[in-house]
Amino acid sequence: MDKPIDWRGSALDDLREFPEAARKRAGYELRKLQRGEPPDDWRPFPEAGPGVNEIRIDSQDGWFRVMYVAKFEEAIYVLHSFQKKTRKTSRNDIQIATARYRAVVAERKESK
């Protein structure tokens, strides 16, 4: 059974704004995650929270990232989807992912 995806904030709408090739690649990589497989190009992103990773999509249209956490058994939480403008991830993008990660953790504590 595939793990469900829980989209946080504007992550889904932001991903839908990616150019077609990057959007399709993101969908392919997320589908792999749902099946329990690692994405083809990813890296840990602990700056946003323990267990947070980012899918890296480099295309002719630019650099795109999808930040997620998959360590929880109930769902894959997609925290943030965005286009990178420089090699370094912007402080704003890190803050968005961090805030959404903290909200997931808080919700999980409340539901127990």
Side-chain angles (χ1 to χ4, degrees):
M1 181 139 153
D2 292 342
K3 200 179 220 185
I5 294 178
D6 185 327
W7 299 89
R8 293 297 162 142
S10 62
L12 179 57
D13 290 335
D14 295 338
L15 190 139
R16 287 179 174 152
E17 296 296 319
F18 285 10
E20 183 179 4
R23 189 174 61 248
K24 285 183 177 182
R25 187 70 194 185
Y28 170 78
E29 299 295 352
L30 288 168
R31 187 81 176 111
K32 286 183 77 170
L33 273 175
Q34 286 184 292
R35 293 184 192 135
E37 302 168 25
D40 291 335
D41 189 2
W42 67 280
R43 78 171 186 97
F45 206 90
E47 300 94 311
V52 175
N53 298 308
E54 72 173 0
I55 295 171
R56 300 185 297 192
I57 302 163
D58 298 342
S59 73
Q60 292 179 338
D61 297 311
W63 299 325
F64 299 88
R65 301 294 185 260
V66 179
M67 289 188 176
Y68 69 93
V69 61
K71 70 178 184 176
F72 303 122
E73 65 183 52
E74 70 276 7
I76 297 164
Y77 294 93
V78 177
L79 306 173
H80 189 34
S81 304
F82 61 99
Q83 181 173 8
K84 281 183 77 166
K85 304 291 185 188
T86 65
R87 292 194 65 70
K88 185 171 175 151
T89 303
S90 77
R91 179 179 301 277
N92 183 55
D93 289 319
I94 295 170
Q95 288 173 340
I96 289 169
T98 301
R100 291 177 182 169
Y101 176 82
R102 289 180 180 154
V104 166
V105 171
E107 286 174 27
R108 292 182 83 251
K109 282 183 182 174
E110 287 176 11
S111 67
K112 288 186 178 181

